[in-house]
Amino acid sequence: MTLCPSSHLLPLSNSPSPPPMAASLTTSSAASRLLLLPSASARAPLHRLSAPHSTNTSLAASSSYAFSPLKCRRYSPLPPRAFSNQRASSMSTVAAASDPAQLKSAREDIKEILNSKFCHPILVRLGWHDAGTYNKSIEEWPRRGGANGSLRFEIELKHAANAGLVNALSLLQPIKEKYSGVTYADLFQLASATAIEEAGGPKIPMKYGRVDVSSAEECPEEGRLPAAGPPSPADHLREVFYRMGLNDKEIVALSGAHTLGRSRPDRSGWGKPETKYTKNGPGAPGGQSWTAEWLKFDNSYFKDIKAQIDEDLLVLPTDAAIFEDPAFKVYAEKYAEDQDAFFKDYAEAHAKLSNLGAKFDPPEGIVLDGVQGEKFVAAKYSSGKD
């Protein structure tokens, strides 16, 4: 999983100029990987990306963690009018609690988009990147970051880790306009959880009612999300996710979301231009996926990283770290053998991630379908208390 995927945040400087934006949202959305990959200046040699056939291969030679690095190349597309913080007054209006009926209707519209656009990975990434800026040592909302809808503003959208997420916003904007009683913060997390469920993953015990930030000045600074190819992948993952209040089990479980998606070297600097699994799409052909069925949510990510027998499957340094680091490996081995255990732990970790830093209105949140959300109180959590 990697918040930054994700968050995989790396420096924006010295990043190569971005390629032209994909001609269609269907194409760019389907092609997006779950998380952002690091900038070209931070990436490891390409020969380290594909695991060798030897079963005795060092994971360090493959790549690390599931939260693809947020430090991708600098990408500054001209955002659609709806996402410009200089326009559209609705973008700078603090929304109150979301309306439960509208949330349910919005979820059905999201399902239709998923079925037609194959955009599951990029919608998961959108939710994670909005939440993944959370810093548990900061009490004040929204300065602490987290799931507050700030990613809709151009200044944050232009963070290197968020390259390409303008396409996810464009997909969801018509839904936001249709359901004005749903906040952006809730919409991002609703889309992320729905994408996991529609791809065959577990039911996420979500709650809603997140309040949106009101202006671009409330966006977090760049650099809070994770990277894919840091010098010490396991240490880096802990540094980033411990800051959010997540533990080793949650880091590994969330990494498993890399079972979805693919990366493209011309956009992120990672992976192959095309493999036998991606040459025919769906969506725009090309890129390199972590798993053979990269739109199906299961435990293939752990199985494939453990086996390391297919050069057409991507392994980042952070991915490799989950089988290299002794504490991470305990969970990675478990999830490779037991999909039910993975689904249970993933659902809990995803729900926790989606609540990071959020301010809920009402304070207890809104539960849909009688599914009780993870008992998480943002203010309490931010103080480091149980």
Side-chain angles (χ1 to χ4, degrees):
M1 127 174 181
T2 46
L3 281 178
C4 237
S6 150
S7 301
H8 326 97
L9 323 159
L10 307 178
L12 293 179
S13 59
N14 300 320
S15 299
S17 59
M21 184 179 296
S24 71
L25 290 175
T26 300
T27 294
S28 52
S29 299
S32 293
R33 21 172 212 154
L34 197 50
L35 314 173
L36 279 180
L37 295 174
S39 62
S41 61
R43 64 180 184 263
L46 288 179
H47 71 271
R48 293 166 60 87
L49 296 180
S50 297
H53 289 286
S54 169
T55 56
N56 200 15
T57 303
S58 165
L59 287 175
S62 347
S63 271
S64 111
Y65 172 55
F67 266 107
S68 109
L70 292 181
K71 279 309 180 168
C72 294
R73 60 184 63 201
R74 183 184 294 276
Y75 185 60
S76 306
L78 292 176
R81 179 176 58 80
F83 305 118
S84 171
N85 32 337
Q86 289 86 4
R87 309 181 188 179
S89 59
S90 63
M91 299 298 291
S92 59
T93 299
V94 177
S98 293
D99 178 80
Q102 289 195 27
L103 281 165
K104 290 183 179 182
S105 295
R107 183 171 57 190
E108 295 308 307
D109 286 8
I110 290 169
K111 290 179 182 179
E112 291 182 12
I113 291 175
L114 290 167
N115 290 333
S116 62
K117 304 291 186 182
F118 309 107
C119 55
H120 304 66
I122 200 171
L123 292 187
V124 174
R125 187 172 144 235
L126 178 68
W128 283 14
H129 284 210
D130 195 46
T133 59
Y134 177 63
N135 186 336
K136 68 183 176 69
S137 68
I138 300 175
E139 294 273 357
E140 180 188 357
W141 183 92
R143 195 168 64 85
R144 64 194 181 207
N148 57 29
S150 63
L151 190 47
R152 74 190 190 271
F153 290 106
E154 181 178 355
I155 188 171
E156 186 172 347
L157 190 61
K158 284 186 174 182
H159 288 182
N162 296 327
L165 285 179
V166 63
N167 297 311
L169 288 169
S170 296
L171 287 168
L172 294 181
Q173 183 61 23
I175 296 178
K176 179 67 178 79
E177 293 173 354
K178 183 177 179 180
Y179 303 107
S180 59
V182 175
T183 64
Y184 280 97
D186 271 353
L187 183 61
F188 295 166
Q189 300 309 321
L190 176 66
S192 182
T194 303
I196 292 293
E197 294 167 9
E198 289 297 293
K203 179 73 176 178
I204 312 296
M206 299 289 287
K207 68 176 180 178
Y208 299 96
R210 295 169 187 79
V211 176
D212 283 342
V213 296
S214 60
S215 70
E217 287 67 35
E218 296 174 305
C219 291
E221 73 280 4
E222 180 151 15
R224 292 194 186 186
L225 295 176
S232 301
D235 291 343
H236 175 71
L237 289 176
R238 289 193 173 95
E239 179 182 358
V240 171
F241 290 100
Y242 283 10
R243 186 208 70 220
M244 300 179 205
L246 300 175
N247 59 33
D248 286 357
K249 180 175 76 171
E250 291 160 340
I251 290 172
V252 178
L254 289 171
S255 297
H258 259 171
T259 192
L260 299 178
R262 48 187 170 162
S263 69
R264 296 175 180 275
D266 60 331
R267 299 178 187 178
S268 68
W270 293 87
K272 297 180 178 181
E274 180 181 278
T275 71
K276 61 179 177 282
Y277 302 117
T278 65
K279 64 181 180 180
N280 295 319
Q288 185 174 14
S289 58
W290 285 263
T291 62
E293 295 182 89
W294 47 269
L295 284 177
K296 178 182 179 182
F297 194 95
D298 57 18
N299 66 338
S300 294
Y301 169 81
F302 299 102
K303 291 181 177 179
D304 292 338
I305 290 179
K306 181 178 180 179
Q308 293 193 53
I309 57 174
D310 194 332
E311 293 182 349
D312 271 346
L313 297 181
L314 180 63
V315 181
L316 298 172
T318 41
D319 298 317
I322 68 170
F323 272 98
E324 235 183 10
D325 180 86
F328 287 157
K329 185 176 181 179
V330 171
Y331 300 107
E333 294 275 5
K334 177 182 179 181
Y335 299 151
E337 298 299 324
D338 189 343
Q339 181 168 285
D340 289 341
F342 166 51
F343 274 26
K344 176 181 179 296
D345 290 349
Y346 178 83
E348 293 174 357
H350 185 125
K352 184 173 182 178
L353 173 65
S354 75
N355 291 342
L356 294 180
K359 178 167 72 173
F360 287 91
D361 178 15
E364 67 275 14
I366 299 167
V367 176
L368 304 180
D369 307 327
V371 178
Q372 180 59 52
E374 178 255 342
K375 290 184 172 126
F376 176 92
V377 178
K380 234 169 134 181
Y381 195 80
S382 298
S383 68
K385 299 175 183 177
D386 294 330

